[in-house]
Structure formats: C-alpha cells, structure tokens
Amino acid sequence: MMDDPQTWREARREAAAAQAAALQHRKDNETAQARKLLAEFVATMHSRGIEPQPLRAPVVGTGASYRTDVTGWYLRRNQSLGVDAEGNFYILGMQPSVKARLLGVRVVPSDPPIIIGQGARDGESLPLKQLLELRLAEIEG
C-alpha cells in the first residue's frame, strides 16, 4: 500500500523518470528521422547540380540580414531555416546587433525537428518532409 509518504514519493520519482526516458527516446527517434530526410534533400540537391550558397541570417522584423559562416541551402522562402552540405540543420533568424552587422554571425547547428513550427499558430507548422518537398518543387519550378 502507498500509505507511506516515502514509498509514494519514490514511486512518483520512478514514474517521472520513466516518462522522461520515453519522451527522450521519442525525441531521439524523431531527430534521427529528420536527419535522414535532410541527408536525402542534400543528396538530391547535389545530384541535380544545385550548388550550395553562402547563407545569410535574416534579422527578425526587418529586411536586413547578417553574413554567416554556413554554406548550404535555405529551407524556407523567408530564409529563416537552412541546411548545410553535410545535412546540418540551422535556425537562421537573428535579433538586431551592431556587432553582427559589422562582423557577421556564427550560427550553430540544431537538432532538426520532424515538424517545423510545432507549437506555432494554426497553419504555421509543417512536417519537415513536406517542407523539403515544397522546397524542391520551388527550385525545379
């Protein structure tokens, strides 16, 4: 019986740990699927002879952008997401900065989500697979 507070706390702690482990496992699987989709996209771009280009980081809320050290392809028309030639995923949107305007920015790769914009307003989320298909269609278009 769970009348003992110590036993109850221990059971809750174990349940929370199991739930966290299951959530991490699901996230790891989704990240692996997303990385595979990005690798296929990069291979398709190379096979079609579409060369990577220097990516710029758009400044949120303005028409400005900053230089980055990344060469690859944009995944969205607004250039807020990109992928490099090795399949690394980048979130490119930046806040305004005088230093970045002068020196550029160093962006670091992120774990790619399987759903782009998840948690955003209705109509703003999109499966990564669909986004990549749309991007390829735009390029061919």
Side-chain angles (χ1 to χ4, degrees):
M1 204 164 202
M2 296 247 185
D3 291 338
D4 178 18
Q6 187 71 23
T7 306
W8 182 84
R9 277 194 295 271
E10 191 172 307
R12 291 298 308 143
R13 193 173 12 256
E14 288 174 10
Q19 188 175 19
L23 183 63
Q24 186 62 47
H25 181 71
R26 190 179 94 224
K27 183 182 182 310
D28 291 345
N29 283 340
E30 288 179 357
T31 298
Q33 290 174 353
R35 286 187 193 286
K36 183 178 179 203
L37 291 171
L38 289 171
E40 291 169 359
F41 175 82
V42 168
T44 300
M45 297 298 272
H46 283 299
S47 72
R48 294 183 182 176
I50 302 169
E51 294 297 319
Q53 60 183 333
L55 300 183
R56 296 186 61 85
V59 180
V60 177
T62 73
S65 64
Y66 302 140
R67 284 174 287 124
T68 72
D69 56 348
V70 178
T71 301
W73 301 272
Y74 294 109
L75 300 178
R76 296 191 100 163
R77 266 193 214 134
N78 68 3
Q79 300 180 345
S80 62
L81 301 175
V83 61
D84 68 15
E86 288 78 42
N88 295 308
F89 176 79
Y90 295 88
I91 299 170
L92 297 169
M94 295 287 155
Q95 295 297 319
S97 161
V98 173
K99 181 179 176 184
R101 179 179 216 119
L102 297 172
L103 304 175
V105 292
R106 186 174 188 282
V107 291
V108 294
S110 303
D111 283 340
I114 198 71
I115 305 289
I116 301 295
Q118 190 166 23
R121 295 184 301 216
D122 284 347
E124 291 187 3
S125 64
L126 187 66
L128 178 62
K129 180 176 176 131
Q130 189 176 352
L131 175 66
L132 297 175
E133 289 169 353
L134 288 169
R135 185 68 180 122
L136 287 170
E138 286 175 2
I139 291 168
E140 290 175 342

